[in-house]
Amino acid sequence: MHHGHGSQAHWQQVYQTKAPDSVSWYQPTAARSLALLCQGGLGPQSAVIDVGGGTSCLVDALLDASVGSITVLDLAEAALALTRQRLGERASQVTWLVGDITQVALPAQAYDLWHDRAVFHFMTTPEQRTAYLLALQHALKPGGHVVMSTFADDGPERCSGLPVQRYSREDLLKALGPRFSLLAHEHELHTTPGGMPQAFNHALLRFA
């Protein structure tokens, strides 16, 4: 268990010391993610995993849309606890997983949709990226879709005190490999609660 990019202690501290709406990646709604998930076929039959879901509001929107199976994974138990608290009764309709995506044992071919807003870009070593991609290709159904948001090539070089890997559209496709084909892509200037612009790239990909 190496520490560095995203040790559990680091992220626990981030979520225990900052209000959910003050972390730099905070967004009041998950509209963009939701639109891309819908393009990927999101519906009541879908099984969705939100990787690094943390305190994101995406899970609320998935529950509102009566999505059949929802899993939220995060390194930080503290973040998931806040989200469960916010959801109240509805939290029982969600599967909560605490773990590192590079180490967690996910069920095989279990998910139609894999959502990752700003986890993959913390995978800054080839080993981390390989482990992430093994998990993704193991757990996603062939024919399933990935909605991935990373810092763009003109985005920040660090986030929350950690280095990140920035991706252009071409870089992302190269990193994910030939089993993924790009269906949609958009560049966004996300404004942090502190007023700083962060350039994100959002991609919808199909897994063959």
Side-chain angles (χ1 to χ4, degrees):
M1 178 75 196
H2 65 268
H3 293 278
H5 82 278
S7 67
Q8 267 162 306
H10 175 92
W11 292 110
Q12 286 277 49
Q13 200 206 343
V14 168
Y15 283 109
Q16 281 163 345
T17 54
K18 292 190 168 197
D21 60 0
S22 72
V23 293
S24 67
W25 56 90
Y26 170 76
Q27 45 180 11
T29 74
R32 196 173 295 252
S33 290
L34 209 57
L36 287 168
L37 287 168
C38 287
Q39 247 180 289
L42 180 73
Q45 303 311 309
S46 303
V48 182
I49 183 168
D50 188 11
V51 176
T55 52
S56 151
C57 301
L58 179 63
V59 63
D60 311 55
L62 294 174
L63 285 164
D64 292 344
S66 307
V67 170
S69 163
I70 304 166
T71 301
V72 179
L73 173 119
D74 204 276
L75 269 175
E77 168 68 56
L80 297 182
L82 285 168
T83 305
R84 284 198 297 266
Q85 210 177 318
R86 184 181 77 225
L87 290 172
E89 288 284 89
R90 299 208 294 172
S92 62
Q93 298 168 44
V94 176
T95 301
W96 305 94
L97 297 177
V98 177
D100 181 331
I101 191 57
T102 63
Q103 298 171 8
V104 72
L106 293 172
Q109 300 191 2
Y111 307 108
D112 302 294
L113 289 153
W114 175 288
H115 177 266
D116 169 356
R117 183 169 181 269
V119 172
F120 186 62
H121 71 195
F122 283 113
M123 307 289 133
T124 52
T125 69
E127 295 75 22
Q128 288 168 347
R129 286 192 286 273
T130 299
Y132 180 106
L133 289 170
L134 283 172
L136 169 58
Q137 297 182 33
H138 168 76
L140 191 61
K141 295 176 188 175
H145 292 80
V146 178
V147 172
M148 187 176 283
S149 302
T150 63
F151 280 153
D153 39 337
D154 56 346
E157 291 177 20
R158 298 176 72 79
C159 178
S160 300
L162 300 173
V164 297
Q165 178 74 45
R166 301 182 294 176
Y167 289 95
S168 67
R169 180 164 70 177
E170 296 68 31
D171 294 338
L172 185 65
L173 285 172
K174 206 183 305 176
L176 294 180
R179 295 186 65 183
F180 294 90
S181 51
L182 188 67
L183 303 184
H185 187 272
E186 45 190 277
H187 185 275
E188 175 202 8
L189 269 180
H190 166 75
T191 305
T192 70
M196 293 295 291
Q198 291 181 337
F200 270 93
N201 274 329
H202 304 278
L204 169 66
L205 306 113
R206 187 173 184 278
F207 178 54

